[in-house]
Amino acid sequence: MMRAQFPHIDKVSIRPFVLRSQLYSSVVDRTQVDRELESLRRTKVLRIFKLNTGQDDHAIMFLDDYLNQIERAVKRMEEKNVHDLEVFEWFKIHVIDTRLEPNISHQDLCSLLSLGGKVKDNQISVLINGGVIIRQLIDPSMYWFAIPNVGSMLKGLSQGRKELLSLLSRRRYKEMLLASLEKKRLRLSPLDMRFHLRDLIGSGHLKTIKTPTGLVVRISKE
């Protein structure tokens, strides 16, 4: 359902993803969410990505959507006449299929890629530029798997969170009717209000309260 409701964003070529926090907003038992996600990850139905937002954010993408997103990244690079693009095929067949964790070491990456052909340093750079891996800041010999072209979404996610919390914090009781809030548009995020509400409710920054006039969204006490 959340995949189907992913906001359509002009000029940004991105397949739908769901945040783990959003699932927490609609399923009370977080342990059950984690357990079922783990099972779907192991059976290669979906992949889980650690997002580069400075917080403990994880995006969930169905494997088919992720492979499609990689295809789009390759097409963009073909248009720019980038060489060594065969490495993406090796990445999909030998790396994605066997490494289900959110990260991979440089050594393991090269070892798996070499099942497709002779690996050159330049090809690792091509994968980084294509957005499928990001070098970890703490340990440069480790990479996070990443969603190509997700950068503008992450900026919108961070800015939209701040904007929504700021909007509510300026209200007298730091709350607002959900129905009224859902009609508002965020200026700083291409993601819609529903996307941000689910995220912030699931992460515990906001809570919902039933009142006679309807559901109210309130900032959680610090």
Side-chain angles (χ1 to χ4, degrees), residues 1-26:
M1 177 196 79
M2 288 187 187
R3 181 193 178 282
Q5 291 175 351
F6 187 81
H8 174 74
I9 298 153
D10 292 335
K11 298 177 187 161
V12 177
S13 172
I14 186 99
R15 301 296 296 157
F17 62 85
V18 175
L19 300 175
R20 191 192 292 256
S21 55
Q22 291 172 325
L23 293 176
Y24 288 161
S25 76
S26 60

Side-chain angles (χ1 to χ4, degrees), residues 32-46 48 100:
Q32 183 196 353
V33 171
D34 292 342
R35 205 169 36 237
E36 291 188 17
L37 280 178
E38 186 57 28
S39 165
L40 290 166
R41 183 179 74 90
R42 279 202 304 267
T43 51
K44 302 179 189 176
V45 174
L46 51 77
I48 300 173
L100 309 179

Side-chain angles (χ1 to χ4, degrees), residues 122-171:
N122 181 53
Q123 289 168 317
I124 304 295
S125 301
V126 167
L127 290 175
I128 292 172
N129 293 337
V132 295
I133 52 172
I134 296 172
R135 207 183 286 278
Q136 292 188 14
L137 294 173
I138 302 166
D139 182 356
S141 70
M142 293 292 295
Y143 303 98
W144 293 114
F145 287 108
I147 302 168
N149 215 32
V150 79
S152 60
M153 296 293 97
L154 299 191
K155 187 180 175 191
L157 176 63
S158 297
Q159 291 187 326
R161 281 170 171 167
K162 284 180 194 157
E163 188 179 349
L164 177 49
L165 289 169
S166 165
L167 173 80
L168 284 169
S169 65
R170 291 196 304 272
R171 311 285 295 196

Side-chain angles (χ1 to χ4, degrees), residues 86-142:
E86 69 280 355
V87 74
F88 284 100
E89 212 46 47
W90 306 347
F91 183 77
K92 283 194 297 190
I93 296 165
H94 302 295
V95 181
I96 295 293
D97 199 50
T98 54
R99 275 306 286 249
L100 309 179
E101 294 79 11
N103 58 4
I104 188 168
S105 70
H106 180 79
Q107 194 176 352
D108 287 352
L109 178 65
C110 291
S111 169
L112 289 169
L113 287 173
S114 69
L115 298 170
K118 190 164 173 17
V119 184
K120 298 177 289 199
D121 282 348
N122 181 53
Q123 289 168 317
I124 304 295
S125 301
V126 167
L127 290 175
I128 292 172
N129 293 337
V132 295
I133 52 172
I134 296 172
R135 207 183 286 278
Q136 292 188 14
L137 294 173
I138 302 166
D139 182 356
S141 70
M142 293 292 295

